[in-house]
Amino acid sequence: MTTTYTPNSYDPLSTEQISHTICAMLERQPLVSMLHEIPRFDGAGLYALYYRGESVPLYRPLNELQIPVYAGQGAASNSATGAKTTARRPVYDRLRKHRRSMEEANLPLWEFRFRALLLPDVHANLGENGLRVGYQPVWNHTLTGLGGNEQGSSTRQSKKSKWDTVHDGRSRTHGGVVHEADKLLADAEAHIAKQVAAYDKLPWQHPVTDTYEDLNG
């Protein structure tokens, strides 16, 4: 009997492998509480938000997994023009903005954490894409709108985002409710169930060894 064997192929410099490496490195960073103001730090890079609690049933299945509820980046350059931004703290600024949105929506900040990793924009792009494709975070995929900016005076009648429909309370103007909150909640619940079912299939996945740091005491 002839046995066939083909070794695995591995290119450590492929964009896919670099993306996986960045995602794994992010997940080695400590979880930091969002209860208090975000600790100030300089730099651009990648970040992700996580739920670690019990009081929000929708997100409870995620509380012991590496699946983020949201992944994003604070870039050092303008994505449209390539020009360097004037912001010294793009990741910090984004996290602070998200925290304010969550606070206005009466989400339990003590049950949310973030991770951050400072990176050049090109690598942050790869990491963000890896997290969004691999995990499909629910606030990136199903309940979109957390990262959206307040509309200008001429466009403030745009529809309320899906995130704002489910987590109402942000101090911004909308053109009325368009989405049905009950349907969005059902869609998000089904999406999270699929995330959990596919959790072990991610190529960079490793056992959860969360380190939690409340840097504000």
Side-chain angles (χ1 to χ4, degrees), residues 117-137:
L117 185 64
L118 302 182
L119 292 163
D121 286 357
V122 63
H123 295 128
N125 289 336
L126 289 174
E128 182 182 18
N129 185 68
L131 292 173
R132 290 192 177 197
V133 172
Y135 286 123
Q136 297 187 16

Side-chain angles (χ1 to χ4, degrees), residues 6-193:
T6 303
N8 286 332
S9 175
Y10 176 70
D11 179 0
L13 297 181
S14 69
T15 54
E16 181 181 48
Q17 185 57 44
I18 293 172
S19 174
H20 295 171
T21 300
I22 293 167
C23 292
M25 182 60 69
L26 175 74
E27 291 177 356
R28 294 189 182 102
Q29 307 311 304
L31 287 169
V32 180
S33 174
M34 299 189 76
L35 174 58
H36 306 289
E37 286 294 330
I38 304 298
R40 184 173 296 182
F41 58 89
D42 294 353
L46 180 66
Y47 66 88
L49 310 182
Y50 299 84
Y51 182 71
R52 293 291 184 267
E54 295 287 338
S55 69
V56 185
L58 176 62
Y59 304 126
R60 196 177 295 155
L62 305 177
N63 69 359
E64 294 183 357
L65 303 177
Q66 299 283 27
I67 301 173
V69 292
Y70 187 79
Q73 66 168 298
S77 60
N78 185 297
S79 60
T81 66
K84 203 167 185 63
T85 67
T86 57
R88 288 177 52 194
R89 307 181 180 98
V91 175
Y92 164 79
D93 291 342
R94 293 282 293 174
L95 287 168
R96 189 173 180 223
K97 174 186 171 185
H98 296 332
R99 183 189 179 280
R100 184 167 56 250
S101 293
M102 294 160 66
E103 184 177 34
E104 291 177 349
N106 292 316
L107 283 166
L109 294 178
W110 58 92
E111 294 186 343
F112 285 86
R113 312 279 187 265
F114 75 84
R115 284 190 172 102
L117 185 64
L118 302 182
L119 292 163
D121 286 357
V122 63
H123 295 128
N125 289 336
L126 289 174
E128 182 182 18
N129 185 68
L131 292 173
R132 290 192 177 197
V133 172
Y135 286 123
Q136 297 187 16
V138 65
W139 290 355
N140 296 105
H141 182 276
T142 307
L143 302 180
T144 56
L146 170 68
N149 294 316
E150 168 70 292
Q151 301 297 319
S153 59
S154 63
T155 57
R156 282 183 180 166
Q157 294 307 304
S158 61
K159 65 183 179 181
K160 182 180 286 189
S161 76
K162 294 179 180 180
W163 192 90
D164 286 288
T165 301
V166 171
H167 299 300
D168 196 16
R170 281 201 284 190
S171 55
R172 52 180 59 198
T173 305
H174 303 288
V177 176
V178 174
H179 307 287
E180 295 181 13
D182 289 344
K183 182 180 186 306
L184 287 176
L185 282 168
D187 290 346
E189 184 176 356
H191 179 71
I192 289 171

